[in-house]
Amino acid sequence: GELVGLIGPNGAGKTTAFNIVTGVYTPTSGVITMAGRQIQGKSPVTICHSGIARTFQNIRLFQNLSALENVTAGLHHSAERGLLGTILRTPKFLRQQRACTHQAMELLATFNLADKANSRAGSLSYGDQRRLEIARALATRPRILLLDEPAAGMNPQEKIELMKLLAFIKEKFSLGLWLIEHDMKLVMTICQRITVLDHGETIAVGSPAQVQANEKVIEAYLGKPDEAA
């Protein structure tokens, strides 16, 4: 239920951590648990079913599908569709299709995208694409949502709106948020707890105030003066 930040210099291993947790990479050692069950080495599909969803540093939408179709795609993993029912378009299949469309439209409305439901995802503005990707991730009904640099490329006003949106998501959907972000104002304003990575190692964990005052964090970000010089 927390909103947790993951920060560190470029190349620190932040996205790698996300890739390991979500099954894109298989860890060489260590244990990852979700609700008491080990998930390391599982497929991305299995990990998604366990309740973990993510967005990407570079937006990964189905560019040629509509906004509605993108969100509906996130709902398919929870639908019980048999091959025969899908081919014959049975009443049960059609009911599920209508239910998925209804749920997808509700999510689009939550992100102020309902009027763009039939627009091609690739034609949307950058900010709308970011919100659409979050809506699609939420369609999988996660317990934890991983966001990889959601503010990248946004202007100051869009970042303010994003901060409000993330706080709203956490409360409305009762989930935990794990956030990679380089915008320190955003991180320090909304995160309850922050982990700092440097060269793959955790160098600090704590509240925003504790992290900002940590000497190792200051050195990793700002550099340490050379006393000899």
Side-chain angles (χ1 to χ4, degrees), residues 68 71-72 75 95-109:
L68 178 61
V71 178
T72 303
L75 293 162
R95 282 196 305 272
Q96 289 183 335
Q97 283 288 89
R98 287 193 294 271
C100 279
T101 299
H102 178 71
Q103 292 173 50
M105 285 302 300
E106 285 187 331
L107 277 168
L108 287 172

Side-chain angles (χ1 to χ4, degrees), residues 57-192:
Q57 188 173 344
N58 299 312
I59 296 172
R60 304 278 184 89
L61 291 171
F62 303 116
Q63 297 286 332
N64 291 318
L65 297 183
S66 70
L68 178 61
E69 289 168 329
N70 267 271
V71 178
T72 303
L75 293 162
H76 285 316
H77 86 291
S78 60
E80 298 177 2
R81 293 188 178 91
L83 178 61
L84 187 61
T86 302
I87 293 172
L88 298 178
R89 301 181 69 78
T90 61
K92 179 181 178 181
F93 169 82
L94 294 174
R95 282 196 305 272
Q96 289 183 335
Q97 283 288 89
R98 287 193 294 271
C100 279
T101 299
H102 178 71
Q103 292 173 50
M105 285 302 300
E106 285 187 331
L107 277 168
L108 287 172
T110 297
F111 289 87
N112 297 318
L113 293 170
D115 61 332
K116 299 179 175 66
N118 295 315
S119 300
R120 189 175 65 85
S123 71
L124 299 178
S125 69
Y126 185 84
D128 284 347
Q129 287 192 37
R130 279 285 179 196
R131 291 201 301 278
L132 179 58
E133 191 179 36
I134 295 173
R136 184 183 62 183
L138 288 171
T140 67
R141 301 189 183 99
R143 296 167 65 183
I144 300 174
L145 177 60
L146 281 57
L147 301 166
D148 195 346
E149 296 195 36
M154 289 187 173
N155 62 43
Q157 183 57 41
E158 287 173 330
K159 289 179 181 179
I160 291 171
E161 294 302 318
L162 177 66
M163 285 192 280
K164 295 177 183 177
L165 179 64
L166 295 182
F168 168 76
I169 289 170
K170 189 173 84 70
E171 296 304 319
K172 179 176 175 61
F173 295 94
S174 300
L175 45 69
L177 293 174
W178 194 17
L179 172 75
I180 293 175
E181 187 51 63
H182 282 291
D183 188 309
M184 288 300 100
K185 180 181 178 182
L186 188 152
V187 171
M188 298 301 170
T189 300
I190 66 173
C191 289
Q192 297 161 278

